[in-house]
Amino acid sequence: MKPLVLHIPGRPPFPLEGAGGAWTVGRSSQNDVVIADASLSRHHARITLKEGLPYLEDLGSLNGTSINGERIKSIHPLHEGDEILLGQVPLNLGPPQHGPRVRIHPDAEASSSAGSLVLPLDRLRAAPTRGVAPGTFRLREVVREIQGLSLELLEDSPPELLLSHLLDRIWTLLRPWRAAVLIQDAKAGLLTVASRGPEGHQPILLAQSLVEAALKRKESVLFNDAGDDPGLASPSLVSSGITSAMVTPLEHRGVVKGLLYLDCRPPRPPFDEEDLRLASTLAHLATAKLEQARMREEALARKKVDQELDLARHIQQGLLPGFPPELEGFEVHGNNLPSRQVSGDLFGWWPRQDGQWLLCLADVSGKGLGPGLLMASMQATLEAWTERDLAVDDLAFRLSRAVARHTDGRRFITAFLALLDPSTGVLTYTNAGHNPGLFIHRGGEVDLLESQGLPIGMLPGNPYGAASLQMWSGDLLALYTDGLTESASPAGEEFGEAALAAFLAERRAEPLLAIDAHLMDELDRHTRGAPYLDDRTILLVRRT
């Protein structure tokens, strides 16, 4: 089989060789090729070698896999030059870059000699020291190549193409014998992106000491007369007659992306400090493009995720109740303010066949999309089970078993379930591990409606208790999630349950919508601009 590599935007080419002849591609870190793009599925596609030929198959991805513009449904052969589209990520199958391969040779640590020069990045960017030999090339030629490379930074070209052009420009300016650009990959290690050298020559054996100098210590190293510095020289340098070599990190804002390696031999004179500074400058410009491409990919990925979360939030808001029901002799109000785009809180009211109303306020453990999905599942379950006319303790028991069956044991739900009989004003409730409900009498006294069982889904099979109370004219029931009481000031002082009870008792006669609005204003005054770390949800019921 002719060697082929997979060209991925913003990434070093991925060679299709070894690893058992099969590679999976997707967002999950369990893949051989990880591409952090929201349009890809966790396990999106697989490339397999069969009798030396590559084949591509889609692994049931959401956004599909295409070859040369046609979506594939089954395993499909690949050929050099094929344009692959995974979700919205374009890939290309092509030959590896021409030039010598690069191998890391485990040499001893670098020793010092009169022929070596080590420049940390801060010294490299400072003005050159006196006594540096004048350059061997014209200034206008240097300026022209730097301008050309700078213009490429403005183009929307693949970073690996820019690095290949970097070598072309360095080849023109410095006339090395061999050159290579290597990029660090989180999964595959140090990969050769581009290299130049005599045709058919043996691989470049790069000394481990040089790699560590560039990648770990962020140093540019120049050494001449390699025979006098065996710690820096690798066997290939000595045997090839190389008299000078240098390595410089591809660095941008303190982050090293890879390294640039150059060497030369007679009749080209040895490299000098001016050569090292020029190579480092060009490498720094190219690294800025790599960082630009990475940031662009991250921005696009975040935008796609935000769009999906906005859609999830829109769907979730549709699941929450709209206008409150018209209950003769009662007022009802609920509100949910998520700390993120998707909330893990739930509130709602559902009419039953026996004339009672089921009221619920719940809080799923954790934050983000997972709790939001579990909240939607519980809302659908409550909607379906309303017709069964179950007692609230029995309902909590059944919900706990149902939630436990469909979660991994790390998620649970605190909930306050209540049945309100509008004809009598009797409220029967079960508190499943939730914050104490606040029952505010018309005279201002406050009763705490404490927990009567574990959170739903925590230990399925455990029974729940229940209690009843009589609501009279002016009595107010307030249910809330801990996003209210745990709202904290910049100094970390939480609003607290006592402050919430005092606030509600003082304003118990106001319209429910006004109570909610004034409470949120009070929380804003308390937090003084500090971010809310949890969803804020409240459910208010008052007998008129």
Side-chain angles (χ1 to χ4, degrees):
M1 169 190 167
K2 183 179 179 180
L4 293 173
V5 297
L6 197 63
H7 295 280
I8 307 168
R11 298 272 299 279
F14 185 86
L16 299 181
E17 59 184 20
W23 304 268
T24 57
V25 186
R27 286 189 295 111
S28 171
S29 60
Q30 298 175 351
N31 292 287
D32 301 293
V33 182
V34 180
I35 303 178
D37 189 283
S39 68
L40 268 68
S41 298
R42 289 179 56 81
H43 301 282
H44 195 103
R46 180 188 294 114
I47 299 176
T48 308
L49 294 182
K50 295 184 178 181
E51 298 180 355
L53 298 177
Y55 289 82
L56 177 66
E57 63 177 314
D58 185 86
L59 299 178
S61 67
L62 179 62
N63 294 321
T65 300
S66 300
I67 300 177
N68 300 323
E70 295 186 7
R71 189 159 178 168
I72 63 172
K73 300 294 185 181
S74 58
I75 189 167
H76 196 283
L78 288 173
H79 304 90
E80 182 180 331
D82 279 346
E83 295 182 355
I84 304 166
L85 189 65
L86 304 183
Q88 298 180 20
V89 178
L91 286 75
N92 183 270
L93 193 66
Q97 295 284 346
H98 296 295
R101 290 182 296 170
V102 180
R103 297 177 182 172
I104 310 300
H105 191 276
D107 292 286
E109 289 295 323
S111 60
S112 60
S113 76
S116 64
L117 173 65
V118 179
L119 292 179
L121 289 176
D122 53 351
R123 275 194 59 195
L124 194 64
R125 291 169 185 166
T129 58
R130 295 181 181 181
V132 173
T136 58
F137 37 76
R138 293 189 302 270
L139 177 60
R140 74 174 116 183
E141 186 179 5
V142 175
V143 172
R144 184 179 66 247
E145 296 300 331
I146 291 180
Q147 286 177 336
L149 190 61
S150 299
L151 289 175
E152 289 186 23
L153 294 177
L154 304 177
E155 299 178 0
D156 190 16
S157 56
E160 61 267 20
L161 181 61
L162 178 75
L163 294 175
S164 180
H165 290 172
L166 168 67
L167 278 194
D168 293 337
R169 297 183 185 282
I170 288 178
W171 199 266
T172 301
L173 289 171
L174 298 180
R175 312 292 184 191
W177 185 53
R178 298 182 303 182
V181 174
L182 291 83
I183 294 295
Q184 291 193 95
D185 182 85
K187 197 173 184 70
L190 200 59
L191 299 177
T192 304
V193 178
S195 62
R196 302 286 186 271
E199 288 292 334
H201 198 271
Q202 63 182 354
I204 299 173
L205 298 182
L206 187 57
Q208 181 69 37
S209 52
L210 285 177
V211 173
E212 292 179 355
L215 301 186
K216 295 183 179 180
R217 298 192 296 275
K218 303 178 185 179
E219 297 172 342
S220 292
V221 179
L222 162 67
F223 60 97
N224 292 318
D225 190 7
D228 292 337
D229 204 343
L232 288 171
S234 66
S236 67
L237 302 186
V238 178
S239 62
S240 301
I242 292 172
T243 57
S244 184
M246 59 182 170
V247 63
T248 186
L250 299 177
E251 178 271 344
H252 182 74
R253 295 182 178 177
V255 178
V256 177
K257 302 289 184 180
L259 62 87
L260 167 67
Y261 170 81
L262 304 169
D263 61 31
C264 69
R265 65 178 186 174
R268 202 264 190 225
F271 295 130
D272 56 26
E273 182 178 338
E274 189 176 355
D275 298 326
L276 180 62
R277 289 179 177 275
L278 176 60
S280 299
T281 299
L282 293 175
H284 182 70
L285 284 174
T287 312
K289 173 66 176 183
L290 294 180
E291 184 65 11
Q292 179 192 58
R294 183 192 67 81
M295 294 175 64
R296 182 172 178 270
E297 279 190 28
E298 289 184 353
L300 289 174
R302 284 196 301 269
K303 182 178 179 181
K304 292 173 183 176
V305 171
D306 287 343
Q307 289 173 343
E308 293 179 359
L309 289 175
D310 285 341
L311 177 60
R313 174 62 179 163
H314 179 74
I315 294 173
Q316 186 182 60
Q317 285 295 303
L319 296 176
L320 294 174
F323 293 105
E326 294 184 2
L327 300 182
E328 185 176 355
F330 285 87
E331 296 176 296
V332 181
H333 170 78
N335 188 23
N336 166 251
L337 294 174
S339 62
R340 301 185 181 184
Q341 287 156 302
V342 179
S343 173
D345 287 359
L346 163 70
F347 75 91
W349 41 74
W350 298 268
R352 304 207 323 176
Q353 294 179 349
D354 59 3
Q356 299 187 81
W357 281 77
L358 173 64
L359 308 173
C360 176
L361 185 135
D363 184 0
V364 181
S365 62
K367 300 178 180 63
L369 192 57
L373 292 173
L374 187 54
M375 182 280 282
S377 174
M378 182 171 176
Q379 191 274 347
T381 303
L382 287 170
E383 186 87 33
W385 285 4
T386 301
E387 298 180 357
R388 298 190 182 186
D389 290 350
L390 298 171
V392 284
D393 52 347
D394 190 18
L395 177 60
F397 178 80
R398 292 170 183 253
L399 281 172
S400 186
R401 291 198 304 182
V403 168
R405 281 198 302 268
H406 300 293
T407 59
D408 57 6
R410 292 179 295 177
R411 296 285 186 195
F412 55 88
I413 305 171
T414 65
F416 195 104
L417 300 164
L419 284 177
L420 174 63
D421 188 344
S423 63
T424 64
V426 174
L427 183 88
T428 305
Y429 66 91
T430 290
N431 185 338
H434 196 71
N435 306 89
L438 300 177
F439 185 65
I440 300 136
H441 296 270
R442 56 185 172 183
E445 303 86 359
V446 179
D447 292 337
L448 301 181
L449 310 183
E450 301 285 357
S451 176
Q452 298 151 312
L454 295 172
I456 289 173
M458 180 172 284
L459 287 178
N462 278 27
Y464 289 86
S468 297
L469 56 85
Q470 177 69 51
M471 294 190 70
W472 302 103
S473 176
D475 290 345
L476 175 66
L477 172 69
L479 308 177
Y480 60 93
T481 58
D482 53 14
L484 291 176
T485 53
E486 293 179 1
S487 297
S489 68
E493 180 184 358
E494 295 184 350
F495 186 69
E497 181 185 292
L500 176 61
F503 177 90
L504 294 173
E506 181 181 354
R507 296 180 176 268
R508 62 189 180 279
E510 293 182 359
L512 300 187
L513 187 61
I515 293 177
D516 181 15
H518 292 153
L519 175 59
M520 297 309 152
D521 290 341
E522 185 69 16
L523 290 177
D524 287 342
R525 282 191 291 271
H526 177 77
T527 57
R528 301 197 300 276
Y532 291 101
L533 303 180
D534 203 354
D535 309 324
R536 290 161 290 156
T537 306
I538 191 168
L539 177 60
L540 301 173
V541 181
R542 181 170 55 202
R543 187 168 189 180
T544 58

